[in-house]
Amino acid sequence: MLITQIKAPQRELDQGRREGKQAVVTMEFKAAVFTAAALAVLLCSPASAQKSPPAPAPVSVSIPPSLAPAPAPAPRYVDLAALLDVAGPFHTFLTYLQKTNVIETFQRQANKTDEGITIFVPKDSAFAALKKSTFSNLTGDQLKTLLLYHAFPKYYPLAQFRNLSVLNPVDTFAGSPYTLNLTDDMGTITVESMWSKPKISSSVYATKPIAVYSINKVLLPMQLFSKDPPLAPAPAPAPESGASDIAPSPGGAKAGAGNGKADSTSAGYVGAANCLGLLAAAAGGLMLLW
């Protein structure tokens, strides 16, 4: 009985020790959790974020200039009015283009680098060869059509005219009814309309997208002219300058030559008469001596 009473307090003491150890372990675990939480709060706070080392700057990669694509060149526009004004004696044609605003139509077409334009420009002498009434009888729309008839809505260098002649008739800027026939005879190119067949006398400008060729006659379509327009009267020939009084004329030289011949003949007659006179005197003297 006494032994049982002694063991009971011992068991209670052991149980208390175990509970005390468990309490200590629990407190240490709570302290560790608290410490970890505090450290986490400190690390996530703005102050700790400011103290963190800055992120490395991104490395920039420079592209060598040679690898960069070259910019596309700006299109080169040619002022057609300025070109025709200085290129040759095309003032009559240019005046009509500006008067009807067809020059603006040609300029817009010239600025389309994909298509371009080909213009046949008559010289001033070609217009002077026609009577003035040839164009004065045309309406404003007919005059525009006549000017548009002198162009193709596409750029054609001279080297392509041989192939272009196979497509005859070729549509002009005036539309499908207004066509031209082209011939290339060993480099001599003829542009044929109903009432005129001018030849390309020279290349004024031929760089894509613009080709300008000089012709010696005005292109006259039958849609605008029912018959061949009359030509202007030929100018009177310039009077010849009179012969100089100093320089001998061919006629004067002949006359002089003839006079010289006559003088020499008369001189011969005089010499013969003198000889006969001497012979007669000698004969008379001999008769007296006889």
Side-chain angles (χ1 to χ4, degrees):
M1 187 70 178
L2 179 60
I3 294 173
T4 304
Q5 293 178 354
I6 294 173
K7 289 182 179 181
Q10 184 67 34
R11 286 197 299 270
E12 293 176 359
L13 180 60
D14 294 337
Q15 185 177 358
R17 289 178 179 176
R18 286 195 299 270
E19 292 177 355
K21 288 182 179 181
Q22 291 178 357
V24 172
V25 171
T26 302
M27 292 179 63
E28 289 178 354
F29 177 76
K30 292 181 178 180
V33 172
F34 178 80
T35 303
L39 290 176
V41 172
L42 291 175
L43 291 176
C44 295
S45 63
S48 62
Q50 292 178 358
K51 292 181 181 179
S52 61
V59 180
S60 60
V61 180
S62 60
I63 301 175
S66 59
L67 299 180
R76 182 169 176 251
Y77 296 138
V78 177
D79 190 338
L80 290 176
L83 175 64
L84 296 178
D85 187 38
V86 300
F90 308 130
H91 297 96
T92 305
F93 187 69
L94 178 58
T95 300
Y96 282 125
L97 290 178
Q98 293 174 331
K99 186 177 180 179
T100 58
N101 293 327
V102 174
I103 188 66
E104 298 178 2
T105 303
F106 285 173
Q107 189 66 62
R108 285 194 299 269
Q109 182 68 23
N111 295 344
K112 294 181 180 179
T113 55
D114 293 338
E115 299 176 1
I117 191 171
T118 300
I119 308 175
F120 302 103
V121 184
K123 297 179 180 179
D124 289 343
S125 57
F127 287 95
L130 298 172
K131 280 192 173 182
K132 294 182 179 180
S133 59
T134 302
F135 303 107
S136 62
N137 294 331
L138 297 177
T139 64
D141 292 338
Q142 289 176 334
L143 184 57
K144 287 183 179 180
T145 301
L146 177 67
L147 298 174
L148 294 173
Y149 187 63
H150 285 73
F152 290 148
K154 189 175 181 181
Y155 167 77
Y156 290 108
L158 288 175
Q160 292 186 8
F161 273 81
R162 179 176 293 275
N163 297 332
L164 188 62
S165 61
V166 180
L167 304 177
N168 286 332
V170 182
D171 293 344
T172 65
F173 215 125
S176 57
Y178 298 89
T179 58
L180 293 172
N181 290 324
L182 304 174
T183 58
D184 186 352
D185 185 10
M186 301 181 65
T188 301
I189 301 173
T190 303
V191 186
E192 181 179 351
S193 65
M194 180 62 188
W195 301 115
S196 59
K197 299 178 181 179
K199 296 179 180 179
I200 295 180
S201 56
S202 64
S203 175
V204 179
Y205 187 91
T207 301
K208 193 173 183 180
I210 297 174
V212 178
Y213 302 112
S214 174
I215 54 178
N216 57 353
K217 293 181 180 180
V218 181
L219 295 172
L220 303 172
M222 64 178 180
Q223 290 85 354
L224 297 180
F225 302 95
S226 59
K227 60 181 181 178
D228 190 0
L231 300 177
E240 297 181 358
S241 58
S244 173
D245 295 334
I246 300 175
S249 63
K254 291 181 180 179
N259 293 338
K261 185 176 181 180
D263 292 343
S264 61
T265 302
S266 60
Y269 291 153
V270 172
N274 291 335
C275 291
L276 291 175
L278 291 175
L279 290 174
L286 290 175
M287 291 180 65
L288 291 175
L289 291 176
W290 183 266

